[in-house]
Amino acid sequence: PAVAALVGLYTNYAGVQLLFYPLEYRGTAWYRPPRSPLGFLGWQGVVPTKTEPMASRLVDIVTTRLLSLGEAFGRLDPVRTGTLLCPAVDEAVRERCGPGWAAVLRPFLPYVLGRLVRALQDEVEDVLDLRSVVMSAFVTNKGVLVELFQRVGRVELNFLVESGLGFGAVLGLGQMALWARRPYPWTLPVAGAVVGYVTNWIAIRLLFEPADPIELGPLTLQGLFESRQVEVSEEFGLFLRERVLSSPRLLEALAEGGDGGELHSFLRRQLPWPIPGHVLSAAVDAIRAVAAHPELHPDLHCYMTEALDIEATLSHRLKLLTPTEFEDLLHPVFQEDEVTLIAVGGVLGAVAGGVQTRLGWGGPPALARTRAAATLVVAALSTVLFFVGREREMLADEIEEDLDEEEDA
């Protein structure tokens, strides 16, 4: 049972790591099916491999059920937003069009920019593509999607790993009984494969099933992920506000395309033709500069973050989803290659069983007891070292998050 518990722990840990890493394919390029994490003597994390389809499902949830750009931008005060944009636009006009144009336009900028913000609120869905903004964040940097799933599914992933210890120990009792009755060379490898396979399968089932709560007397049965809907919703809203739909990213997307982009076309529609194109181009450059250097425009970004209220909006609406709808946030990570992940547990369990057989617990009683004691000591030390390493890793992550929050503040 001690070895089976260790096998369950480490096979589940390996399975979780294979979900997310490596971000890029590592191995030979001789043969690899399209969109498959597994190649000939090679592997890429399931999430990085399936970034586009997974991100697409996530984007569908965000754009159809959780957030509307028209609603978010409608919360901006046009006058205040225009006033905060004035310094950047004035500087861009002076640099691109010369001090003459800057002097002529400067008295009118607050009024003009305020009117443009008000008009943008009505047309933002045409000028800014929310789906494209979210998709680009995940597809351009696969690590962003990996980090999202790791953060919102932190408790579930830890449970998946640590449950292998308990389930493995219980199943190990059966493995021990089978070995006592049938001490053949194949017994422990086969039993180890079953332990690795079943522990992964049970853990994944418990994460998401049942989706809707079932009352059994004083007990309520529900999948671990669905039971944390409130906590996960808040974590999800915070992550998207910080990494995907931040003020700099939205402004960067708004200015995308330069003179041929949607923002330039919008400005041309709103402003009379006597205003030359290079002035409009300067305005687009100003938005791009504000997005690229948020540290130079803290008041604007702080105001936009507060007014758009994206974190609270996403969090609130996620909490209103049914458990089945909410499950779609994380379950796709496991659904995409669930069979592969469970099979990995079986293969690693078989290898561990083979090692046990190779150690050979038979022979003279004294030698058998020595080998058994050594195996128990190794299993116990490995388990302790595993959890100590996990605690240190979690502590390092918490310190890093605290430092990031202090920098943001």
Side-chain angles (χ1 to χ4, degrees):
V3 175
L6 189 64
V7 169
L9 179 67
Y10 276 93
T11 55
N12 285 18
Y13 176 76
V16 168
Q17 293 304 302
L18 291 173
L19 273 175
F20 301 111
Y21 302 107
L23 294 179
E24 301 297 336
Y25 180 75
R26 292 183 183 175
T28 63
W30 294 343
Y31 175 72
R32 184 189 180 197
R35 294 192 181 280
S36 171
L38 181 64
F40 183 75
L41 299 179
W43 180 266
Q44 182 182 14
V46 174
V47 173
T49 302
K50 307 293 181 74
T51 293
E52 284 199 33
M54 286 187 182
S56 181
R57 289 183 63 170
L58 202 58
V59 169
D60 288 339
I61 295 174
V62 171
T63 56
T64 61
R65 304 179 190 176
L66 305 180
L67 186 65
S68 161
L69 280 180
E71 177 188 6
F73 273 76
R75 301 186 184 116
L76 294 173
D77 181 336
V79 174
R80 184 174 179 183
T81 307
T83 301
L84 291 171
L85 282 170
C86 275
V89 175
D90 180 68
E91 181 180 354
V93 170
R94 182 172 50 80
E95 290 181 355
R96 182 155 183 166
C97 308
W101 272 106
V104 169
L105 294 176
R106 190 172 295 124
F108 307 101
L109 270 183
Y111 168 75
V112 172
L113 290 176
R115 192 171 69 83
L116 288 173
V117 172
R118 187 174 291 107
L120 180 64
Q121 291 173 325
D122 297 329
E123 299 185 35
V124 67
E125 301 282 358
D126 299 322
V127 179
L128 185 60
D129 184 0
L130 177 60
R131 181 179 183 85
S132 176
V133 174
V134 180
M135 277 293 291
S136 66
F138 293 133
V139 175
T140 304
N141 182 358
K142 298 173 183 176
V144 175
L145 188 62
V146 166
E147 186 181 348
L148 171 63
F149 285 136
Q150 287 178 330
R151 280 178 61 171
V152 302
R154 179 184 65 257
V155 173
E156 289 70 28
L157 294 171
N158 287 340
F159 170 80
L160 181 60
V161 172
E162 295 167 7
S163 64
L165 188 69
F167 293 143
V170 172
L171 293 171
L173 295 173
Q175 184 182 14
M176 181 178 65
L178 181 62
W179 172 251
R181 293 179 60 86
R182 297 286 189 273
Y184 302 130
W186 53 265
T187 302
L188 291 180
V190 170
V194 171
V195 169
Y197 182 94
V198 172
T199 53
N200 278 7
W201 184 85
I202 291 175
I204 291 176
R205 297 278 81 76
L206 292 177
L207 290 182
F208 301 104
E209 297 177 11
D212 294 302
I214 298 176
E215 303 291 340
L216 289 178
L219 301 177
T220 300
L221 301 181
Q222 189 177 22
L224 179 60
F225 184 66
E226 291 87 350
S227 69
R228 292 199 315 116
Q229 185 165 349
V230 172
E231 180 184 346
V232 171
S233 297
E234 294 172 355
E235 189 74 45
F236 182 84
L238 174 62
F239 184 90
L240 257 67
R241 192 263 294 170
E242 290 179 340
R243 301 294 303 278
V244 179
L245 295 172
S246 63
S247 171
R249 287 207 79 253
L250 288 172
L251 291 177
E252 178 187 12
L254 190 64
E256 196 173 72
D259 292 352
E262 293 294 335
L263 180 60
H264 193 279
S265 300
F266 164 78
L267 293 175
R268 183 75 285 172
R269 291 194 302 271
Q270 295 297 323
L271 296 174
W273 279 103
I275 296 180
H278 57 82
V279 172
L280 306 185
S281 299
V284 175
D285 289 346
I287 300 300
R288 188 184 296 111
V290 167
H293 303 285
E295 71 281 358
L296 300 179
H297 309 276
D299 292 342
L300 172 64
H301 289 290
C302 286
Y303 170 69
M304 286 190 63
T305 299
E306 179 183 346
L308 293 175
D309 204 22
I310 286 175
E311 179 182 345
T313 301
L314 291 173
S315 174
H316 173 70
R317 289 184 179 156
L318 265 179
K319 294 173 185 177
L320 298 179
L321 296 181
T322 66
T324 302
E325 293 172 328
F326 178 73
E327 179 185 331
D328 283 342
L329 274 184
L330 188 63
H331 205 174
V333 178
F334 298 93
Q335 285 176 324
E336 288 289 345
D337 272 277
E338 187 173 300
V339 173
T340 302
L341 294 171
I342 294 175
V344 166
V347 171
L348 295 178
V351 171
V355 172
Q356 284 181 270
T357 303
R358 184 67 178 170
L359 289 174
W361 282 10
L367 179 60
R369 285 194 294 269
T370 300
R371 287 172 172 168
T375 303
L376 288 171
V377 170
V378 170
L381 285 176
S382 299
T383 303
V384 170
L385 290 174
F386 174 85
F387 283 105
V388 169
R390 288 287 298 279
E391 286 296 326
R392 292 184 63 182
E393 183 180 336
M394 292 172 62
L395 180 60
D397 290 341
E398 289 178 4
I399 293 174
E400 185 177 349
E401 288 180 8
D402 290 341
L403 291 175
D404 290 341
E405 289 178 1
E406 289 179 5
E407 289 179 2
D408 292 340

